[in-house]
Short mmCIF file of all heavy atoms in Angstrom, two decimals:
data_model
loop_
_atom_site.label_atom_id
_atom_site.label_comp_id
_atom_site.label_asym_id
_atom_site.label_seq_id
_atom_site.Cartn_x
_atom_site.Cartn_y
_atom_site.Cartn_z
N ALA A 228 30.45 -36.10 7.99
CA ALA A 228 31.09 -35.65 9.25
C ALA A 228 32.43 -36.33 9.42
O ALA A 228 33.45 -35.65 9.76
CB ALA A 228 30.16 -35.95 10.44
N ALA A 229 32.46 -37.61 9.19
CA ALA A 229 33.72 -38.32 9.31
C ALA A 229 34.74 -37.79 8.32
O ALA A 229 35.90 -37.57 8.64
CB ALA A 229 33.50 -39.81 9.09
N ALA A 230 34.30 -37.57 7.10
CA ALA A 230 35.23 -37.05 6.08
C ALA A 230 35.80 -35.71 6.45
O ALA A 230 36.97 -35.46 6.32
CB ALA A 230 34.51 -36.98 4.70
N LEU A 231 34.94 -34.82 6.96
CA LEU A 231 35.45 -33.47 7.27
C LEU A 231 36.24 -33.41 8.51
O LEU A 231 36.94 -32.43 8.78
CB LEU A 231 34.23 -32.50 7.35
CG LEU A 231 33.70 -32.03 6.01
CD1 LEU A 231 32.45 -31.15 6.24
CD2 LEU A 231 34.73 -31.24 5.25
N SER A 232 36.15 -34.41 9.37
CA SER A 232 36.90 -34.30 10.61
C SER A 232 38.23 -35.03 10.50
O SER A 232 39.12 -34.80 11.35
CB SER A 232 36.09 -34.87 11.79
OG SER A 232 35.77 -36.19 11.54
N SER A 233 38.41 -35.86 9.51
CA SER A 233 39.68 -36.61 9.49
C SER A 233 40.28 -36.75 8.12
O SER A 233 40.97 -37.72 7.85
CB SER A 233 39.44 -37.98 10.12
OG SER A 233 38.46 -38.64 9.37
N ASN A 234 40.10 -35.82 7.19
CA ASN A 234 40.77 -35.97 5.89
C ASN A 234 42.13 -35.25 6.00
O ASN A 234 42.46 -34.59 6.99
CB ASN A 234 39.89 -35.40 4.78
CG ASN A 234 39.79 -33.87 4.88
OD1 ASN A 234 40.66 -33.14 4.51
ND2 ASN A 234 38.66 -33.41 5.44
N ARG A 235 42.89 -35.35 4.91
CA ARG A 235 44.27 -34.87 4.99
C ARG A 235 44.42 -33.38 4.59
O ARG A 235 45.53 -32.86 4.59
CB ARG A 235 45.18 -35.68 4.09
CG ARG A 235 45.30 -37.16 4.55
CD ARG A 235 46.69 -37.64 4.39
NE ARG A 235 47.00 -37.83 2.95
CZ ARG A 235 46.91 -39.00 2.34
NH1 ARG A 235 46.45 -40.04 2.93
NH2 ARG A 235 47.20 -39.08 1.04
N PHE A 236 43.33 -32.78 4.19
CA PHE A 236 43.49 -31.44 3.61
C PHE A 236 42.72 -30.32 4.32
O PHE A 236 43.30 -29.27 4.63
CB PHE A 236 43.11 -31.47 2.13
CG PHE A 236 43.89 -32.46 1.34
CD1 PHE A 236 43.38 -33.71 1.06
CD2 PHE A 236 45.18 -32.15 0.92
CE1 PHE A 236 44.12 -34.61 0.37
CE2 PHE A 236 45.94 -33.07 0.23
CZ PHE A 236 45.42 -34.32 -0.08
N HIS A 237 41.46 -30.52 4.53
CA HIS A 237 40.67 -29.43 5.10
C HIS A 237 39.90 -29.95 6.32
O HIS A 237 39.07 -30.85 6.19
CB HIS A 237 39.63 -28.88 4.10
CG HIS A 237 40.23 -28.41 2.83
ND1 HIS A 237 39.60 -28.51 1.63
CD2 HIS A 237 41.39 -27.75 2.58
CE1 HIS A 237 40.36 -27.98 0.66
NE2 HIS A 237 41.47 -27.50 1.22
N VAL A 238 40.19 -29.39 7.47
CA VAL A 238 39.45 -29.76 8.67
C VAL A 238 38.84 -28.49 9.30
O VAL A 238 39.55 -27.68 9.83
CB VAL A 238 40.37 -30.40 9.68
CG1 VAL A 238 39.63 -30.69 11.01
CG2 VAL A 238 40.94 -31.76 9.13
N PRO A 239 37.53 -28.30 9.16
CA PRO A 239 36.93 -27.13 9.73
C PRO A 239 36.97 -27.23 11.27
O PRO A 239 36.77 -28.27 11.83
CB PRO A 239 35.49 -27.19 9.27
CG PRO A 239 35.43 -28.16 8.19
CD PRO A 239 36.57 -29.13 8.43
N VAL A 240 37.33 -26.10 11.89
CA VAL A 240 37.45 -26.09 13.33
C VAL A 240 36.30 -25.27 13.91
O VAL A 240 35.90 -24.23 13.35
CB VAL A 240 38.83 -25.52 13.74
CG1 VAL A 240 39.01 -24.09 13.23
CG2 VAL A 240 38.98 -25.51 15.23
N ILE A 241 35.76 -25.76 15.01
CA ILE A 241 34.64 -25.10 15.67
C ILE A 241 35.13 -24.55 16.98
O ILE A 241 35.66 -25.29 17.82
CB ILE A 241 33.48 -26.07 15.97
CG1 ILE A 241 33.18 -26.96 14.77
CG2 ILE A 241 32.26 -25.37 16.48
CD1 ILE A 241 32.44 -26.26 13.70
N VAL A 242 35.01 -23.26 17.16
CA VAL A 242 35.44 -22.59 18.41
C VAL A 242 34.21 -22.07 19.12
O VAL A 242 33.45 -21.27 18.55
CB VAL A 242 36.44 -21.43 18.12
CG1 VAL A 242 36.81 -20.78 19.44
CG2 VAL A 242 37.65 -21.96 17.41
N SER A 243 33.98 -22.53 20.34
CA SER A 243 32.86 -21.97 21.10
C SER A 243 33.21 -21.91 22.59
O SER A 243 34.11 -22.60 23.06
CB SER A 243 31.63 -22.84 20.89
OG SER A 243 31.93 -24.19 21.26
N THR A 244 32.49 -21.06 23.29
CA THR A 244 32.77 -20.95 24.71
C THR A 244 32.00 -22.02 25.45
O THR A 244 30.90 -22.46 25.05
CB THR A 244 32.33 -19.57 25.26
OG1 THR A 244 30.93 -19.39 24.92
CG2 THR A 244 33.13 -18.45 24.69
N GLN A 245 32.56 -22.45 26.53
CA GLN A 245 31.87 -23.43 27.37
C GLN A 245 31.00 -22.63 28.33
O GLN A 245 31.48 -21.96 29.22
CB GLN A 245 32.89 -24.28 28.13
CG GLN A 245 32.25 -25.47 28.80
CD GLN A 245 33.24 -26.18 29.67
OE1 GLN A 245 33.99 -25.51 30.41
NE2 GLN A 245 33.29 -27.49 29.62
N GLY A 246 29.72 -22.67 28.12
CA GLY A 246 28.83 -21.83 28.93
C GLY A 246 28.79 -20.46 28.30
O GLY A 246 29.30 -20.22 27.25
N PRO A 247 28.21 -19.48 29.02
CA PRO A 247 28.11 -18.15 28.44
C PRO A 247 29.50 -17.48 28.40
O PRO A 247 30.36 -17.78 29.22
CB PRO A 247 27.19 -17.41 29.41
CG PRO A 247 27.28 -18.14 30.67
CD PRO A 247 27.58 -19.55 30.32
N ALA A 248 29.72 -16.63 27.43
CA ALA A 248 31.03 -15.99 27.29
C ALA A 248 31.13 -14.83 28.24
O ALA A 248 31.15 -13.65 27.81
CB ALA A 248 31.19 -15.52 25.83
N THR A 249 31.18 -15.14 29.54
CA THR A 249 31.18 -14.06 30.55
C THR A 249 32.28 -14.36 31.56
O THR A 249 32.46 -15.48 31.98
CB THR A 249 29.86 -14.04 31.31
OG1 THR A 249 28.81 -14.00 30.34
CG2 THR A 249 29.76 -12.83 32.21
N VAL A 250 33.00 -13.32 31.90
CA VAL A 250 34.00 -13.48 32.99
C VAL A 250 33.68 -12.42 34.06
O VAL A 250 33.11 -11.37 33.75
CB VAL A 250 35.43 -13.35 32.54
CG1 VAL A 250 35.82 -14.55 31.67
CG2 VAL A 250 35.67 -12.05 31.80
#
Side-chain angles (χ1 to χ4, degrees):
Chain A
L231 281 176
S232 59
S233 58
N234 69 79
R235 295 219 288 266
F236 302 99
H237 302 145
V238 174
V240 60
I241 313 284
V242 178
S243 57
T244 54
Q245 191 188 44
T249 309
V250 291

